[in-house]
Amino acid sequence: MKSVIYITSEPAGAKLWVNGTEIGQQTPLILHDLGVGSYTVQVRKEGHEPGEVKLNLGVSEFRPVVVKLKKAGT
């Protein structure tokens, strides 16, 4: 049974990396068919500092994640 992560960012439209691999889509988005294990989610948007969240997923979890990005230089 696979797990799901729903990822959104403030502001929206940020690029997404999971475990160091670029996903090629922007937030908000749903990542599905994820197996049990540890995940590092990085969110990056031009003009903002990058954000990072580390998750441990179990069996059949639905995990909503909101990453609030700070403007660069603030």
Side-chain angles (χ1 to χ4, degrees), residues 1-7 30-39 54-65:
M1 309 256 325
K2 300 292 184 172
S3 294
V4 173
I5 303 174
Y6 172 69
I7 303 168
I30 295 174
L31 299 175
H32 52 81
D33 290 334
L34 299 172
V36 172
S38 298
Y39 293 87
K54 295 188 180 200
L55 304 165
N56 287 311
L57 292 180
V59 175
S60 296
E61 278 193 63
F62 175 81
R63 186 78 62 92
V65 174

Side-chain angles (χ1 to χ4, degrees), residues 4-71:
V4 173
I5 303 174
Y6 172 69
I7 303 168
T8 188
S9 65
E10 294 178 11
K15 293 182 179 179
L16 184 70
W17 281 257
V18 176
N19 293 342
T21 301
E22 186 173 1
I23 299 302
Q25 297 181 42
Q26 296 181 346
T27 60
L29 77 139
I30 295 174
L31 299 175
H32 52 81
D33 290 334
L34 299 172
V36 172
S38 298
Y39 293 87
T40 300
V41 176
Q42 295 174 319
V43 179
R44 300 178 192 162
K45 185 169 176 88
E46 189 173 325
H48 294 79
E49 295 179 14
E52 182 175 290
V53 176
K54 295 188 180 200
L55 304 165
N56 287 311
L57 292 180
V59 175
S60 296
E61 278 193 63
F62 175 81
R63 186 78 62 92
V65 174
V66 178
V67 181
K68 295 182 181 183
L69 300 176
K70 292 197 295 187
K71 287 198 175 207

